[in-house]
Amino acid sequence: MTWLYLPILIVAAAAAYTGGRALARRRHQGIKAHSRPGQHGAYALIWSLVPALAVLIGAAVLAPSLGAGAAAAGAALAAVLGALFAFSRIRPGLRARNRVEGWIVGLLFASSVIAILTTVGIIASLVFDSLRFFASVPVGEFLFGTQWSPQTAIRADQVGSSGAFGALPLFAGTFLIMFIAMTVAAPVGLFAAIYLSEYAGPVFRATVKPVLEILAGVPTVVYGFFAALTVGPAFREFFNGIGAQLVGGPLDGLGQYLMLVQNQMALVAGGVMGIMLIPFVSSLSDDIINAVPQSLRDGSYAMGATKSETVTRVLLPAALPGVAGAMLLAMSRAIGETMIVTMAAGLAAKLTFNPLDTVTTVTVQIVTLLTGDQEFDSPKTLAAFGLGLTLFLITLGLNIIAQRIVHTYRQQYD
């Protein structure tokens, strides 16, 4: 309720800005002032808005029992007093520009500190709960175990009463789907970037480039529906048809297996994820290739090289560090994907590298473990934090490697 008065405070701050600017113009007539009237108005706006916001935040956090009316009255009083203080200081010699710049620098610094502290808090929370999990489950068993069955048994005599927390099947499924996705996205995205950068005309490039950037913003749930309702059934019919032709022949066993292929499989999830990553890879690679100096192209053409020779022997070697970094960033994006895998790959934790099998990934299991009412003192729920920490370290490592590649092998051109 208190925050409903925020628009009123914004209007009051705007009035303080207008009043401060008008007051500065009157007091500066015929006198050379240090700052412009607009900067004096910004100075008054800051002194009107900041104390009022401080009162609102303090009332909401420290004294919520005061009521919305009391908080609003205190904020209004603080805004008026702040504006009056600013008006009393407005004069030709006031360094309002420096004061406003100081507030802006302080705001930027506070935003940076908040971002850093938020990241540190997330990591600390993740590490704390992960340590609780690893206190009950050995790290070696978690990283190298081949059985993943974290469910809590109802009776003590059930097989899964103690749970099995071997995450190796989850890592295998994650990297299998990532490998399939990059097999699709890397060549298609890179070739599309080369065509747009070196071969496409200006009209075609101006049309296709924005479309690719729009496709990069399509929600992943849309790709998940596409995988589950279109790609999955199409792949199932394709493999079932091949299996029907092989049944009864020398490859009867393979035919029987292909007849049992279902909609959900790693190939479907990885293929659709690769389609999702194509705009990402293409856009980054196109920007990197365009950043190669035109003088290199001109020198190659002057030596009699064709366009294809210039691309393969000059542009790609020059852009290779940036392209490699873009590929690693795309890999990190693929490893962290959840929705497509949930809808197209299934939930079965299998240690397999068969693209026609149902698999699951680390992110899917994190969502599964934290869905519904959970007890955050059981290894089953805490396993999600162990998986999250492992996934964080993997993606962090990939990002660091990408940055190292770019900075180590970057070539400087005149």
Side-chain angles (χ1 to χ4, degrees):
M1 186 65 181
T2 302
W3 299 103
L4 294 178
Y5 296 96
L6 187 59
I8 300 177
L9 293 181
I10 295 176
V11 173
Y17 172 81
T18 304
R21 184 177 60 179
L23 182 61
R25 286 176 176 173
R26 287 200 306 268
R27 293 181 178 180
H28 294 174
Q29 288 182 358
I31 304 175
K32 184 178 180 180
H34 176 273
S35 304
R36 296 179 179 178
Q39 293 164 344
H40 286 274
Y43 178 75
L45 181 148
I46 291 172
W47 272 104
S48 175
L49 185 61
V50 172
L53 287 177
V55 171
L56 281 180
I57 295 174
V61 176
L62 302 178
S65 59
L66 289 178
L77 179 61
V80 172
L81 293 178
L84 292 177
F85 172 78
F87 290 162
S88 66
R89 293 179 58 85
I90 292 178
R91 58 184 183 275
L94 176 65
R95 297 178 177 268
R97 179 181 60 194
N98 297 355
R99 305 291 176 83
V100 172
E101 288 293 331
W103 278 99
I104 293 175
V105 172
L107 177 62
L108 296 177
F109 176 77
S111 300
S112 303
V113 171
I114 291 174
I116 294 173
L117 292 180
T118 302
T119 304
V120 172
I122 292 174
I123 296 174
S125 175
L126 189 62
V127 171
F128 175 76
D129 288 312
S130 298
L131 292 178
R132 293 174 57 196
F133 169 71
F134 289 123
S136 57
V137 177
V139 178
E141 176 185 344
F142 174 75
L143 293 177
F144 304 106
T146 59
Q147 298 295 325
W148 177 261
S149 180
Q151 73 275 5
T152 303
I154 300 176
R155 302 188 310 274
D157 58 347
Q158 287 183 327
V159 176
S161 59
S162 60
F165 297 95
L168 194 58
L170 308 185
F171 300 145
T174 300
F175 285 103
L176 174 62
I177 293 178
M178 182 269 292
F179 176 78
I180 297 173
M182 292 306 298
T183 302
V184 174
V188 176
L190 181 58
F191 293 161
I194 293 174
Y195 179 79
L196 290 176
S197 176
E198 302 301 321
Y199 294 93
V203 177
F204 184 83
R205 174 181 170 82
T207 304
V208 175
K209 180 73 172 177
V211 173
L212 285 176
E213 294 178 350
I214 291 174
L215 289 177
V218 174
T220 57
V221 66
V222 176
Y223 289 103
F225 279 122
F226 176 64
L229 302 179
T230 303
V231 180
F235 276 37
R236 182 201 63 198
E237 294 179 2
F238 173 74
F239 288 111
N240 290 167
I242 295 178
Q245 296 178 5
L246 297 178
V247 170
L251 300 177
D252 181 74
L254 179 60
Q256 294 289 346
Y257 173 76
L258 293 178
M259 288 288 291
L260 299 177
V261 171
Q262 300 298 317
N263 292 350
Q264 291 184 325
M265 65 182 84
L267 184 61
V268 173
V272 175
M273 190 182 299
I275 295 174
M276 179 194 70
L277 292 175
I278 287 175
F280 183 80
V281 174
S282 176
S283 180
L284 286 178
S285 300
D286 179 64
D287 294 338
I288 293 167
I289 293 174
N290 282 324
V292 176
Q294 182 63 33
S295 59
L296 294 181
R297 296 177 175 84
D298 297 338
S300 178
Y301 294 146
M303 295 296 292
T306 63
K307 185 178 287 290
S308 60
E309 290 174 340
T310 301
V311 169
T312 56
R313 298 187 180 185
V314 177
L315 296 183
L316 287 183
L320 182 59
V323 172
M327 296 300 174
L328 290 175
L329 292 177
M331 290 171 58
S332 300
R333 178 72 177 84
I335 290 174
E337 176 54 39
T338 303
M339 188 58 65
I340 296 176
V341 182
T342 303
M343 302 178 69
L347 298 174
K350 296 181 181 179
L351 183 57
T352 178
F353 293 101
N354 185 355
L356 302 184
D357 278 346
T358 59
V359 296
T360 189
T361 63
V362 173
T363 54
V364 172
Q365 287 301 311
I366 292 175
V367 173
T368 303
L369 292 172
L370 296 180
T371 300
D373 297 332
Q374 303 293 342
E375 297 180 358
F376 282 85
D377 57 352
S378 66
K380 174 186 176 182
T381 305
L382 293 177
F385 296 95
L387 292 173
L389 179 62
T390 306
L391 185 65
F392 168 76
L393 294 177
I394 291 174
T395 55
L396 178 63
L398 288 175
N399 290 337
I400 292 175
I401 293 173
Q403 294 296 328
R404 293 291 296 176
I405 290 176
V406 172
H407 289 295
T408 302
Y409 298 101
R410 177 181 294 163
Q411 300 183 29
Q412 300 294 337
Y413 303 102
D414 296 331

